Amino acid sequence: MEIMTNQRFRNAGKYLRALVICSLIGSALVVCLLIGIFIYAKILGPPPLAVPQSTLYMASDESIIGESHTGEKRYWADITDISPDLIHATIAIEDQSFYEHHGFDYKRIAGALLADLKAMAKVQGASTISQQYAKNLFLDQDKTWTRKIKEAFYTLRIEMSYTKEQILEGYLNTIYYGNRAYGAQAASQFYFGKDAADLTLAESAMLAGIPKGPSAYSPLASFEKAKQRQKLILTSMVGNQYITKKEMANAFNEELTFVGEHQYYVNTIAPYFQDAVKAVLKSQLDLDERMIELGGLRVYTTLDRQKQETAEKTIEEVMTEDTSMQVGLVSMNPKNGHVEAMVGGTDYEESSFNRALQAIRQPGSTMKPLLYYAAIKQGFTPASTVMSKPTTFRFDDGQSTYAPHNYNNKYADGDITMAQALALSDNIYAVKTHLFLGEETLVKTAKDFGIQSKMAKVPSLALGTSGLRVTELANAYSMLANGGKRTDPVFITRVEDYKGDVLYEAKGSNEQVLDKDTAFVVTEMMTGIFDQTLNGYASVTGSTISDQLTRPYAAKSGSTETDSWMAGFSPQLVTAVWTGYDDNQTIDLVKEKAFAKEIWGNYMEDAHQGLPIRQFTPTKNTVGVYVEPSTGKLATENCPAKRLTYFIKGTEPTEYCSLHLPEYHAEEKQIEKEPTPKEKKPWYKKILPWTS
C-alpha cells in the first residue's frame, strides 16, 4: 500500500513537472509571439489615417462655393477646432480611461465578459476609442473573431505610431453621427448649423450620445431617448470632473434648436469655373480623380463671387430667351492673372461644355491690337497712313487672290492712320500691314502674347481667321493692360490637404515679355474705339455702347459670320466675351450681333462699381501730342477735331496739319482750275506692288 502511494506521488510529481515545463514553454511561446507581433507592427509602420472626405472649393474671400463627395459628408477638423465640451463628453461616455491605457482597457474587458456571462448574451461593449477608430478606418462591422483580431492588431499599430491627441482627433473626424454625417464637423453643421468649435455643452452632450445608435439616439429620430442619453453623458462628465452639477443642470435644461439640413455646396455657383479648377488640379497639379473628389482637399480659388454673380446676371439680361446662341466670358485681374469670373455657356445643366475654356473660335478683328503692336515694334506709329479702298491681293504670279472687305463695304478711299484704322476696324489697313511685316511676324507675336492655339501663316490671319480660346484672348489683353508682363490664367491660389498642409501655392511672375512703351501706345490706341473724334468714313466700333461707359477703357470688337467678340480692359480688370452658335450657324439678326458688346459694356461698368476711376499711365519713353485724326499730323488751332495721341519718343509727328488753314483752302480752289496732275505713287505701292 505504501509502495503504491509513493508511486502515485512520483507520478504526480512527473505530471506536475511536465505541466510546469509546458506552461513555461507556452509562456515563452506567447512572449515570443507577442514580441513578434510588436516587431511586425513596428516594421509595418504607422497605418494611414486618411479616410474619404469631401473636397471643398473656396472663393477668393474663402467662402465655400462647392464640394465633392460620394454622399457621405466628411469634413476634417483639427482637434483645436472641436469644442472641448464635445471632446470631454465623448471621452466620458466612450472611454473614460483613454489617456491611461495603451489601446486596450483590460478592466473594462473583464467587466464586459462577466456581464455577458451573467446575461448569457452580448450586453456590454469594451471597445476603447482607439479600437473603435481602428474599426472605423480599416474594417467592416461584422462581429467575427477574424475581425476582432484584425481590430486588435490595427489598434496596436495606431497606439504605437500616434499620440493620444492624434488618435482622438481622428476618431472624432470619422465616427458616424447618423444622417450621412461623418465626423464632428459634418454632424455639428447638420444638427445645429454651426461649426464643431462653437458647440455648447448641451449640444455637445446631445451630439456625443448619437454614435451609440444613430437611428435610436438622434434627436431627430427620438428626442426622448436623445434627452435620456444626454443626461447620462452629463452625469458621467460630472463624475469625471469635467463639469459641475450646476453646469450639468443648466445644460440639461437648455432649449436646443435643430437644423436637420446639410450645408450642401453643389455646383450652383460658377459651375463652369469649378470644372476648370478641377481640370487644373488634374492636369497641372497631377492629382488623380479620387484624390480630387475624396481627398478632403481645401482648394482656394481666384473666383470673385460678386463679379461672378454680375457676369451671370448680365448675360441673363442681355441674351434673350428666344435665342439659342451661346456665350463665353472670362474676366481677369491683369496684374496677377487671377480669373475672377467665368461663364462657359447659358445653361450648365443643359450643356457643361465650357465655351470660355474649351471652344476654339475665330477672334476676328480682336487680333488687330497684336498686329499693330508688332507694326509699332517695326517702326510704324499711330500716325502711319495707308490707302484704304477695295483691294485685291494677288499671289503666286497672279494665280491666287485675296480680296478682304470692310464692314458694310465702307472705305475711306484715301489714306487713313493706324489709330483710325484700329478705331474703325479697317480691314484693308490690317491686311496690308500684315503682309508688309511678313506673315510669320504675327504668328510669333501671338506666341509672345501667350496664345497657344495654332496660328496659320496666311493673309487673313490679320483678320482673326485662326481660332483661339476666350481665355487666351483675355490673357493676351492682360499683357497689354499690365505693361507687357507675362501672365497665365490663374484659377487656384492654394491647395491644402485635410490636415491643412499646403500641397500647392501659386507663384506670381514679373517676367517682362513685351516692350512696355509699345504696349502703352497700343493700349492708348485701343481707347479710340469709343472716341467719336476718330470718326472718319464710318462710326468707331464702340460707338453703340460708348454712352454708357463712365471710365477709360481700352478695347476691341471682332466679328466673323459665325462669331461675335468684345474684349477690353481698364487698369484694374480685363474681360473677353464671345457669343455665337455651337454649330457655327451664321449670325444674321442685328440684335444678336450686338450681344457681345452689350454684355461686355454692362458687365465692366457693374464690375467696377466702388472702384476708383484710373487712367492708363503713360510710360517714361512715350510722349503725347495733339494730332488731327484724319492726317495724323500735329493739330493746329484751326483743326475742328484734335486728339491726344501717344507715340514712342522720337517717332511723334513734327509736321502740322494744313488742311484747315485759310491759305490751304484758297490754294485748293486754285488747283481745282488747273489740270489734274499725274497721281503720285504712294510709298506702300512701292513696297506692296501686288496691290490694286
Side-chain angles (χ1 to χ4, degrees), residues 82 342 407 656:
I82 298 175
M342 171 179 279
Y407 180 70
Y656 282 90

Side-chain angles (χ1 to χ4, degrees), residues 32 42 62 84-85 129 155 205 242 253 414 616 618 680 682:
C32 290
K42 195 68 176 177
E62 298 194 2
D85 288 329
I129 283 177
T155 301
Y242 288 128
N253 293 322
F616 295 106
K680 185 178 179 181

Side-chain angles (χ1 to χ4, degrees), residues 580-601:
Y581 292 96
D582 283 340
D583 60 358
N584 289 309
Q585 179 181 330
T586 300
I587 304 174
D588 293 322
L589 298 179
V590 174
K591 68 174 184 178
E592 291 184 342
K593 292 179 180 180
F595 283 163
K597 289 181 183 178
E598 291 180 21
I599 291 170
W600 185 90

Side-chain angles (χ1 to χ4, degrees), residues 93-114:
I93 195 63
E94 297 291 345
D95 189 356
Q96 296 178 14
S97 302
F98 174 70
Y99 287 106
E100 284 74 45
H101 64 65
H102 296 287
F104 307 95
D105 189 339
Y106 300 106
K107 291 182 179 180
R108 194 174 173 192
I109 292 173
L113 286 174
L114 288 175

Side-chain angles (χ1 to χ4, degrees), residues 98 105 114 127 147 163 171 211 247 302 306 542 567-568 641 683:
F98 174 70
D105 189 339
L114 288 175
S127 294
R147 201 269 293 163
T163 66
Y171 173 77
E247 289 173 323
T302 58
Q306 188 172 353
W683 65 271

Side-chain angles (χ1 to χ4, degrees), residues 201-353:
L201 173 59
E203 293 167 340
S204 297
M206 179 67 72
L207 206 60
I210 298 175
K212 179 177 175 63
S215 60
Y217 296 107
S218 165
L220 304 181
S222 173
F223 184 74
E224 182 180 354
K225 288 184 178 180
K227 286 297 289 183
Q228 292 173 357
R229 187 145 178 86
Q230 181 197 42
K231 185 176 183 180
L232 174 65
I233 292 172
L234 290 169
T235 302
S236 182
M237 292 179 74
V238 171
N240 284 272
Q241 300 182 345
Y242 288 128
I243 60 174
T244 64
K245 289 185 178 180
K246 183 179 180 180
E247 289 173 323
M248 169 186 170
N250 291 337
F252 185 74
N253 293 322
E254 181 181 322
E255 185 176 347
L256 300 179
T257 301
F258 302 102
V259 175
E261 291 182 0
H262 285 293
Q263 296 185 17
Y264 283 107
Y265 300 103
V266 294
N267 288 359
T268 55
I269 301 175
Y272 293 103
F273 178 87
Q274 289 193 47
D275 283 353
V277 169
K278 293 173 184 177
V280 171
L281 289 172
K282 186 175 181 180
S283 62
Q284 296 184 20
L285 275 63
D286 200 28
L287 300 179
D288 58 40
E289 292 282 356
R290 180 173 176 79
M291 184 65 172
I292 294 171
E293 297 296 327
L294 303 174
L297 304 176
R298 299 296 184 268
V299 183
Y300 296 87
T301 76
T302 58
L303 185 80
D304 184 308
R305 292 188 65 164
Q306 188 172 353
K307 288 187 176 69
Q308 180 66 31
E309 291 170 4
T310 298
E312 293 174 358
K313 179 183 177 182
T314 301
I315 290 170
E316 184 178 352
E317 290 175 349
V318 171
M319 299 190 72
T320 55
E321 294 182 358
D322 59 347
T323 181
S324 59
M325 286 183 71
Q326 283 295 342
V327 63
L329 179 149
V330 174
S331 190
M332 296 170 57
N333 183 330
K335 293 182 178 179
N336 51 26
H338 288 187
V339 177
E340 297 183 335
M342 171 179 279
V343 179
T346 56
D347 192 329
Y348 182 82
E349 292 185 2
E350 287 187 3
S351 171
S352 62
F353 179 70

Side-chain angles (χ1 to χ4, degrees), residues 253 406 502 562 567:
N253 293 322
N406 285 344
V502 178
T562 58

Side-chain angles (χ1 to χ4, degrees), residues 507-522:
K507 297 179 181 179
S509 172
N510 289 317
E511 181 186 2
Q512 190 74 34
V513 178
L514 306 180
D515 178 74
K516 61 183 179 180
D517 300 317
T518 307
F520 173 73
V521 171
V522 173

